[in-house]
Amino acid sequence: MRVIVVGGGVAGASVAYFVARGGAQVTVVDAGVHAASHVPSALLNPVRGQSGQVDGRAPQGLALTWALVRELEAAGWPIPHGQEGVLRPVPDERTRAKFARNLPPALPHRWLTPGEVPVALSPGWPHALLIPGGGWLDGAAFCAALLGASGAEVVRGRVTAWDARSVTLEGGSGLHGDAVVWCGGAVGSGWAGEEGAQRAGTLLTLDRPVTTLPVSFGAYLAPGAGGTGVLGATFEAPTPTWQEPTLPAASLRWLLNRGDALADLRGVRVTGRWSGTRLSGLVAGRQSDGLWRLSGLGSKGFLLGPLLARHVAGDVLRTGVP
Ligand SMILES: Cc1cc2nc3c(=O)[nH]c(=O)nc-3n(C[C@H](O)[C@H](O)[C@H](O)COP(=O)(O)OP(=O)(O)OC[C@H]3O[C@@H](n4cnc5c(N)ncnc54)[C@H](O)[C@@H]3O)c2cc1C
């Protein structure tokens, strides 16, 4: 069976990995730009946002992503990461109660008092939730490892048209397969002229990690590859179509303020910025036109992307050659 995957972010790379593991021959066509998955330090954080929602698939997704990291590293694909947990400080009793209501017993967690918190937080956080199974990873390295280990042929180029069995690349050349899986993410959806919930955000890269484990509320501070750190958030106003992400001065100020509210940033040097756009509105499966699709992973690309990709890949393989 020959499978063509459009997009080599975490969705496409994970689909490629699982269909290849199932015995298919895989070609990934990737434009190589604007991949949200190249976020320098992605959190594996099952307790989401300021409401503390937990997706029912999060414990399984978390376990699978870490298992993949171990498997890929053992096969010789290094992936900078840290699995020391994620800390979610909460500003008041009301937020703590909201988080507590949403926490499933199946997700190991522990509430810490300010004295027990393992990092130096700024004042104003009466409680902090530690999720020991969480952590961070380098997004680009994870995708590169999945693609490399899949053995997929990777074609650099932009697909301009596609159907259930073939794709056409810019320039007019074509590829044919038994199945096409579309994983074009936010930018691909924009190029396709689709409307959807797009949201841009920025990570500032820092010369050192401010905290030894990721800390997240409003924005996040996390370690990054090679002894660096990041301060980031997806915080720009949502837009219905893809736009080149920018960092207006007001956003920079907002981000630095949120970072300062989490921990003391004095003496930390900003070494660069990475901006990206995520797409919400999950679609995972076969469409009415026969095309397969995995997109709209929102802010949970690394938490749920590989798990959903394994389901989609299994269905593609089971459906087989039409
Ligand atoms: C600022 C920010 C912070 C984030 N932090 C986290 C986090 O901490 N934890 C987490 O789990 N998630 C996080 N996310 C979300 C996560 O990055 C996304 O959910 C995930 O990367 C989406 O993956 P994807 O493969 O669907 O799309 P993408 O990673 O965007 O990949 C799509 C790829 O397809 C290619 N492509 C598109 N169209 C075509 C075409 N027509 N032809 C050829 N190639 C095409 C693109 O060039 C791109 O390489 C964050 C996102 C942002 C923006």
Side-chain angles (χ1 to χ4, degrees), residues 7 9-11 30-31 33 35-37 43 157 159 184-185 188 191 220 234 276 298-299 301-302:
V10 67
D30 185 66
V33 288
S37 303
L43 300 197
V159 168
W191 287 338
Y220 67 90
T234 311
S299 59
F302 294 86

Side-chain angles (χ1 to χ4, degrees), residues 150-226:
S150 74
E153 175 195 17
V154 179
V155 175
R156 195 53 87 216
R158 182 166 154 185
V159 168
T160 51
W162 53 85
D163 60 31
R165 307 278 295 274
S166 64
V167 301
T168 307
L169 277 79
E170 219 165 27
S173 60
L175 292 169
H176 296 268
D178 302 302
V180 175
V181 189
W182 193 92
C183 303
V187 73
S189 165
W191 287 338
E194 296 173 351
E195 292 218 341
Q198 301 256 2
R199 193 152 204 189
T202 289
L203 267 71
L204 300 176
T205 51
L206 311 173
D207 64 340
R208 62 178 171 81
V210 178
T211 54
T212 48
L213 73 165
V215 177
S216 166
F217 194 89
Y220 67 90
L221 285 162

Side-chain angles (χ1 to χ4, degrees), residues 82-159:
Q83 199 181 345
E84 7 353 60
V86 165
L87 195 66
R88 303 288 330 267
V90 293
D92 49 47
E93 299 299 331
R94 221 175 118 248
T95 313
R96 176 182 166 147
K98 201 158 48 171
F99 272 47
R101 267 198 305 277
N102 288 328
L103 278 163
L107 183 72
H109 60 270
R110 198 149 58 90
W111 285 103
L112 306 178
T113 62
E116 294 170 322
V117 169
V119 299
L121 292 179
S122 294
W125 302 102
H127 307 283
L129 177 71
L130 178 67
I131 305 118
W136 65 274
L137 58 73
D138 181 306
F142 185 60
C143 295
L146 286 165
L147 285 174
S150 74
E153 175 195 17
V154 179
V155 175
R156 195 53 87 216
R158 182 166 154 185
V159 168

